[in-house]
């Protein structure tokens, strides 16, 4: 028997409908299958993210702690094992992939210290610096073939931007989003080819474990990978642990850590505001999220 957190059930039911209900219903059998096939025994309470169930486990053959991750296979999750293998081969600071089942998307991952996320560091500027270091290592790796691309995402968001503008209730929001779209159009012709995490916020960086030889190391996990420009990576670090007065400082610290052109990085960050607003409007919202709007205004010098 495994414990499926109520929060994961609610998320899957709310956002994935019948597919989410089927995923939740299949989880006990799926977990049992891989515990047996991969020779694992449970080693603590279940954990979860927006779409995944994570079971702390121990490999019975050698006693190595690990984590069994079960999640639906979709456009975002399909590239995770591809990215983890590429980062692992380059020693780039991502969680190690120990096993993968392509049919179900099940992953066996290195166990990190789940009690020590980067979000728990009291010195937020220090956390920003640590995250910048992790991002720089990840983005130094070229994207493998076959991943979704930033160019595809840009094409889709610019195609629907005019309709999105018309559904925003506030004129100031419409002007701001139009400026975001204009900034993206300026860089759209050079979308980049680096391996991007896409969702590297402070809860997606955990401390490494000493028994795995990663004491003192901050390790990235849970990527939603795509191929593109590293400037597209900065937004999560600005909006997570949000502080309006720190937006510009964080942006400058991250662009310096990654060695990015500030103007291009600003355009791609405004692209994340556009992308998120497009999605929000498609879900029925009629405004730019306040924190997202503030990031855009600060980067535009308003």
């Amino acid at each position: 028997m495994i414990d499926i957190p109520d929060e994961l059930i609610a998320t899957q039911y709310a956002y994935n409908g019948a597919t989410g209900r089927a995923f939740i219903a299949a989880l006990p059998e799926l977990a049992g299958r891989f515990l047996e096939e991969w020779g694992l025994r449970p080693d603590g309470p279940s954990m979860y993210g927006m779409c995944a169930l994570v079971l702390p486990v121990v490999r019975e053959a050698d006693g190595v702690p690990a984590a069994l991750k079960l999640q639906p296979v979709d456009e975002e999750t399909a590239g995770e094992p591809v990215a983890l293998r590429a980062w692992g081969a380059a020693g780039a600071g991502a969680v190690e992939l120990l096993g993968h089942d392509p049919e179900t998307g099940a992953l066996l991952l290195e166990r990190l210290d789940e009690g020590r996320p980067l979000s728990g560091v009291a010195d937020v500027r220090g956390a920003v610096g640590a995250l910048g270091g992790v991002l720089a290592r990840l983005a130094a790796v070229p994207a493998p073939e076959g991943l979704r691309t930033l160019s595809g995402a840009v094409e889709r968001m610019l195609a629907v931007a005019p309709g999105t503008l018309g559904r925003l209730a506030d004129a100031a929001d419409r002007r701001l989003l139009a400026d975001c779209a204009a900034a993206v159009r300026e860089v759209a012709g050079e979308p980049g080819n680096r391996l991007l995490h896409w969702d590297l916020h402070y809860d997606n960086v955990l401390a490494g474990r000493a028994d795995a030889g990663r004491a003192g190391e901050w390790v990235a996990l849970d990527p939603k990978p795509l191929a593109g420009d590293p400037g597209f990576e900065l937004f999560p670090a600005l909006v997570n642990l949000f502080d309006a007065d720190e937006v510009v400082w964080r942006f400058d610290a991250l662009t310096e850590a990654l060695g990015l052109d500030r103007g291009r990085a600003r355009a791609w960050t405004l692209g994340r505001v556009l992308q998120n607003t497009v999605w929000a409007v498609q879900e029925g919202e009629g405004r730019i999220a306040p924190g997202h709007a503030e990031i855009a205004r600060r980067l535009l010098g308003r």
Side-chain angles (χ1 to χ4, degrees), residues 101-141:
D101 179 67
E103 179 184 358
T104 64
L107 303 172
L108 186 64
L109 303 170
E110 165 194 8
R111 179 100 66 90
L112 301 173
D113 188 346
E114 64 271 11
R116 293 181 58 207
L118 189 55
S119 61
V121 172
D123 175 11
V124 177
R125 286 196 169 191
V128 173
L131 188 140
V134 174
L135 269 179
R137 294 173 67 188
L138 299 180
V141 177

Side-chain angles (χ1 to χ4, degrees), residues 134-182:
V134 174
L135 269 179
R137 294 173 67 188
L138 299 180
V141 177
E145 294 292 330
L147 290 179
R148 61 189 184 133
T149 64
L150 179 53
S151 61
V154 168
E155 183 178 345
R156 290 189 294 272
M157 73 173 81
L158 289 179
V160 299
T164 302
L165 289 171
R167 294 169 65 183
L168 294 175
D170 184 75
D173 274 359
R174 292 195 292 272
R175 289 192 297 271
L176 188 60
L177 200 69
D179 287 342
C180 290

Side-chain angles (χ1 to χ4, degrees), residues 60-110:
E60 293 179 334
D62 54 15
V64 170
L68 175 60
K69 183 177 183 180
L70 305 172
Q71 61 188 357
V73 179
D74 57 27
E75 181 188 44
E76 289 189 351
T77 63
E80 183 171 356
V82 178
L84 293 180
R85 289 191 186 100
W87 283 324
V95 65
E96 183 181 359
L97 179 66
L98 305 175
H100 172 232
D101 179 67
E103 179 184 358
T104 64
L107 303 172
L108 186 64
L109 303 170
E110 165 194 8

Side-chain angles (χ1 to χ4, degrees), residues 4-110:
I4 304 175
D6 290 340
E7 294 85 352
L8 177 62
I9 295 173
T11 299
Q12 285 292 327
Y13 282 19
Y15 292 103
N16 293 328
T19 301
R21 290 190 292 273
F23 170 69
I24 293 296
L27 274 176
E29 182 178 352
L30 197 64
R33 170 187 164 185
F34 287 105
L35 288 172
E36 180 177 356
E37 286 187 10
W38 288 347
L40 310 171
R41 60 176 171 81
D43 188 41
S46 302
M47 298 176 287
Y48 67 97
M50 284 295 294
C51 64
L53 178 71
V54 180
L55 303 177
V57 295
V58 171
R59 291 196 305 203
E60 293 179 334
D62 54 15
V64 170
L68 175 60
K69 183 177 183 180
L70 305 172
Q71 61 188 357
V73 179
D74 57 27
E75 181 188 44
E76 289 189 351
T77 63
E80 183 171 356
V82 178
L84 293 180
R85 289 191 186 100
W87 283 324
V95 65
E96 183 181 359
L97 179 66
L98 305 175
H100 172 232
D101 179 67
E103 179 184 358
T104 64
L107 303 172
L108 186 64
L109 303 170
E110 165 194 8

